[in-house]
Amino acid sequence: MAHRLSRNELANTRQTIKQYYDQAQELSTKINNLKELRSQATEGHVIADFDQTITELLAEHGTVRHLCAEIESKNSPMHALPSELLSLVMEAHVRANHHSPWALIAVSRHWRAVCMSTPQLWSKIHVQISVPWKTDARSFSPNFPHGLVCDNQTGLGVAIARSAAVPLEVTLELGHDPLNTQLLDILCGQAGYRWQHAHIIAPHTPLSFIGAWKKLEVSLPNLHTIGFSQSCDQPMIRLLLSTIHTTSPNLHTIRVDTGLFFSCLHDFQGQFKSVKYLALQGQVALSEGAATRAAWGKLPRVEILVLRNQDFSPFSNAPPFLEALRALSAIGLRLDGLPNCLTHVYLASVHPLDTEFEPNSIHLAGVTHLTLINPTYAPLRWFSLPLLEYLELRGSTMGKADANDEIELIWNPETFGKAPSPSRVFHFEPRANDAYILAAFRFLDGLENLYLYLDSLPPHDSKVLASLAVVPKRKIVAGGPPALKKWRSPTCPGLQKLVLICKSGLQRDAGLVAEMLDKIYRARLGTGSELGRPTLLTGIKTCVDNKAALLLQYNH
């Protein structure tokens, strides 16, 4: 484990560094003097002697500088990190930036030792089998978006050995060239039991690969996730479906980015009862009919469905093959109907229809969490959600006038008891005037947590914040604590948490807003509407990945 230098060690180190610097300066002076004398020499053997001496001094100067830098590095804060913590930092860096561990081992001997003893750094591998257009790809590539690039036995053997026994995240890319059976044997035959996540890229699967795969009797018993890229062909999909059906009892997730998947699934004999998460990206050949219904029937226990840019909705006529579905995350989906079994829904960029739905006509009796990231608030009017607890309404690009109209159409006396009204949590990006926002808040009396997303800090005369800061009348205050406990604020009386998230704002303005939030806190202190201290966040990006948001809500 690395340790920070003591005072005595630090003093000695500084003295050593000074000596090395003095020595380096002395060598630089000698080299400059010799270069000047050499320029004046005329005889060949004298010039050669000068050149030899200068070369030796330059080498010595380089050694001294290297020693100086090495000693200085020992006192850096990074060098003082415990090996266990440095290992976690390395792992997070490699995962977040797609960098190669080969770059880390060149920093220092200590880093090399830590990197070599951290198997997680070597567990994400990108195996290129017979890929002719990437023959120049080096096993020691500095960047690896799909994993540590391995296109030969040596590179793959190093990755497999250094990853020890940790689960593997494998990207398998297949090309046209003659099959490298040794690579396939190392990856699938020897390490197949360690596969946890797999991503397949195979535009043209040769018969030799299928034969070798079957000869190895590939087994993937610990596979958790498999993804089929847009370029996957039917032979590869069928081969993998057969393998995972018989050898992967723990398969939980399937990701699909190819239009051939459902046709292969339709022809497959058997069900994938362990799969609970299905993600469909792009045009995956969804259609209405017996073939599609039969394909969906092979995935009878899917609980979470993620759809991106689907022209066709799989929910027409509430098909029975989606009875287990509980959570839906969709970007660019046409709302032709949603199953009543849902509890968590995330919708972004809802496709416009020829005719809009009638207000409150999409009745989802079980939905408790709804997120709508859309340029307008309009789709919210279509829903009837009697059990709604969590609502996120963001992404609006409307002007104030249009936003005023939309807010008024959603929450008004005529829609009371019908409009989607969260009972606990409301994430809201307001575009309307304060008066319309306050009118909407009157229909959200049970709200406990309010998150407001703003482009900039609110003005000092914000009516919304002023309404939340209303204080009890003197007569109630005079009644003492019992009377205060009975008093409830006229705006969001059940509020327990208030958070303002602002994309930008000056520091001096943030101080004024903080004072306004403190005023809200003090106004409600000791009353029946008491809440925790409000929070102000500035410079925060509000974009959240739809899958992460959905899973967070669903798991909670």
Side-chain angles (χ1 to χ4, degrees):
M1 179 182 294
H3 68 280
R4 195 160 182 82
L5 300 179
S6 65
R7 287 189 176 183
N8 291 336
E9 290 174 329
L10 183 60
N12 293 335
T13 299
R14 287 174 176 170
Q15 182 64 31
T16 302
I17 291 174
K18 184 178 183 303
Q19 292 175 359
Y20 277 135
Y21 269 125
D22 292 342
Q23 186 177 351
Q25 185 63 36
E26 182 180 346
L27 288 170
S28 295
T29 302
K30 288 182 178 180
I31 291 170
N32 291 332
N33 291 337
L34 287 173
K35 286 182 177 179
E36 184 177 352
L37 292 173
R38 181 192 181 284
S39 64
Q40 299 174 1
T42 56
E43 298 182 8
H45 69 280
V46 175
I47 293 176
D49 290 341
F50 274 127
D51 287 341
Q52 182 178 355
T53 304
I54 291 173
T55 300
E56 293 173 354
L57 290 177
L58 284 172
E60 185 179 354
H61 181 268
T63 301
V64 171
R65 297 287 296 184
H66 175 75
L67 290 172
C68 186
E70 185 175 351
I71 294 176
E72 281 185 319
S73 69
K74 290 183 178 181
N75 194 42
S76 67
M78 181 61 75
H79 185 78
L81 281 177
S83 298
E84 296 82 357
L85 184 56
L86 179 58
S87 174
L88 293 174
V89 172
M90 287 179 173
E91 184 180 353
H93 171 79
V94 166
R95 291 284 177 175
N97 299 284
H98 306 300
H99 285 176
S100 169
W102 290 109
L104 300 179
I105 64 176
V107 174
S108 67
R109 284 194 293 267
H110 174 58
W111 276 42
R112 178 183 177 85
V114 172
C115 189
M116 298 276 281
S117 61
T118 305
Q120 290 81 2
L121 294 176
W122 309 88
S123 63
K124 184 179 181 181
I125 55 179
H126 179 187
V127 181
Q128 298 174 339
I129 298 181
S130 307
V131 182
W133 55 88
K134 292 186 178 180
T135 52
D136 60 337
R138 297 179 294 116
S139 298
F140 306 157
S141 174
N143 297 293
F144 59 123
H146 293 295
L148 188 62
V149 176
C150 302
D151 60 354
N152 56 65
Q153 295 92 287
T154 302
L156 180 58
V158 168
I160 295 295
R162 291 184 180 173
S163 59
V166 302
L168 295 176
E169 184 174 346
V170 177
T171 295
L172 176 60
E173 184 175 5
L174 193 63
H176 296 275
D177 278 8
L179 183 66
N180 188 330
T181 55
Q182 291 180 321
L183 266 182
L184 190 62
D185 179 57
I186 296 173
L187 180 65
C188 303
Q190 301 177 27
Y193 71 97
R194 291 174 51 194
W195 285 32
Q196 187 175 68
H197 304 280
H199 179 66
I200 310 301
I201 305 172
H204 301 285
T205 305
L207 293 176
S208 58
F209 177 87
I210 297 176
W213 182 279
K214 292 180 178 180
K215 183 178 180 180
L216 287 171
E217 297 182 350
V218 176
S219 177
L220 309 174
N222 296 307
L223 190 66
H224 181 274
T225 302
I226 188 167
F228 298 94
S229 73
Q230 187 176 9
S231 59
C232 263
D233 63 357
Q234 287 188 339
M236 176 59 83
I237 296 174
R238 292 193 178 99
L239 180 65
L240 266 297
L241 286 178
S242 177
T243 299
I244 62 179
H245 181 260
T246 56
T247 70
S248 304
N250 300 315
L251 185 68
H252 179 275
T253 300
I254 295 180
R255 305 178 189 277
V256 180
D257 192 17
T258 171
L260 302 175
F261 176 78
F262 269 84
S263 61
C264 295
L265 188 62
H266 170 261
D267 298 334
F268 186 77
Q269 300 298 321
Q271 292 182 324
F272 296 89
K273 295 183 178 181
S274 63
V275 175
K276 295 185 177 180
Y277 182 105
L278 178 64
L280 307 179
Q281 166 73 35
Q283 304 305 313
V284 295
L286 289 177
S287 61
E288 186 175 10
T292 299
R293 288 176 177 271
W296 279 107
K298 308 298 175 64
L299 302 166
R301 297 180 182 176
V302 170
E303 295 182 5
I304 302 175
L305 179 61
V306 178
L307 302 174
R308 286 178 178 264
N309 304 318
Q310 300 295 316
D311 287 339
F312 180 83
S313 172
F315 308 116
S316 299
N317 303 319
F321 46 74
L322 292 173
E323 288 180 348
L325 191 65
R326 295 294 178 267
L328 168 69
S329 175
I331 295 180
L333 180 71
R334 295 178 65 91
L335 297 181
D336 295 336
L338 297 175
N340 206 34
C341 55
L342 290 170
T343 60
H344 294 66
V345 178
Y346 180 106
L347 300 174
S349 303
V350 176
H351 274 193
L353 301 175
D354 296 335
T355 58
E356 289 191 348
F357 290 100
E358 291 295 323
N360 313 123
S361 61
I362 304 178
H363 183 74
L364 300 176
V367 168
T368 58
H369 291 65
L370 173 66
T371 296
L372 179 62
I373 310 297
N374 203 61
T376 70
Y377 301 144
L380 188 63
R381 290 191 285 118
W382 307 337
F383 290 93
S384 172
L385 309 169
L387 297 183
L388 189 65
E389 298 178 4
Y390 175 107
L391 175 61
E392 186 170 356
L393 189 59
R394 298 195 291 107
S396 173
T397 57
M398 296 183 295
K400 284 190 178 294
D402 292 335
N404 292 342
D405 294 339
E406 292 289 354
I407 290 293
E408 190 173 24
L409 287 172
I410 296 171
W411 291 291
N412 60 66
E414 293 182 2
T415 63
F416 181 71
K418 301 177 183 178
S421 302
S423 62
R424 292 182 55 250
V425 182
F426 189 21
H427 290 255
F428 184 42
E429 188 172 6
R431 296 295 182 187
N433 291 327
D434 284 0
Y436 288 85
I437 296 172
L438 288 174
F441 283 173
R442 294 193 184 101
F443 299 96
L444 305 173
D445 286 352
L447 202 59
E448 298 177 3
N449 301 284
L450 177 60
Y451 298 78
L452 296 177
Y453 295 80
L454 309 172
D455 291 334
S456 58
L457 293 167
H460 68 280
D461 58 348
S462 168
K463 294 180 181 179
V464 172
L465 297 184
S467 178
L468 294 171
V470 171
V471 298
K473 294 183 179 179
R474 292 183 179 179
K475 182 178 180 180
I476 296 175
V477 175
L484 283 174
K485 281 294 183 183
K486 295 180 180 179
W487 180 86
R488 291 173 66 81
S489 174
T491 303
C492 300
L495 197 63
Q496 299 176 12
K497 184 176 183 179
L498 174 63
V499 180
L500 267 61
I501 301 100
C502 305
K503 295 180 182 178
S504 62
L506 298 175
Q507 189 64 34
R508 64 173 183 272
D509 296 331
L512 296 175
V513 175
E515 292 179 5
M516 296 166 61
L517 296 180
D518 185 63
K519 185 178 179 181
I520 296 173
Y521 169 75
R522 288 185 285 105
R524 295 181 172 225
L525 190 63
T527 71
S529 294
E530 184 172 351
L531 80 163
R533 286 194 175 275
T535 303
L536 174 64
L537 303 174
T538 59
I540 303 296
K541 294 182 179 180
T542 60
C543 179
V544 179
D545 177 71
N546 71 308
K547 180 190 69 176
L550 176 77
L551 289 178
L552 179 63
Q553 297 172 16
Y554 184 68
N555 289 335
H556 283 176

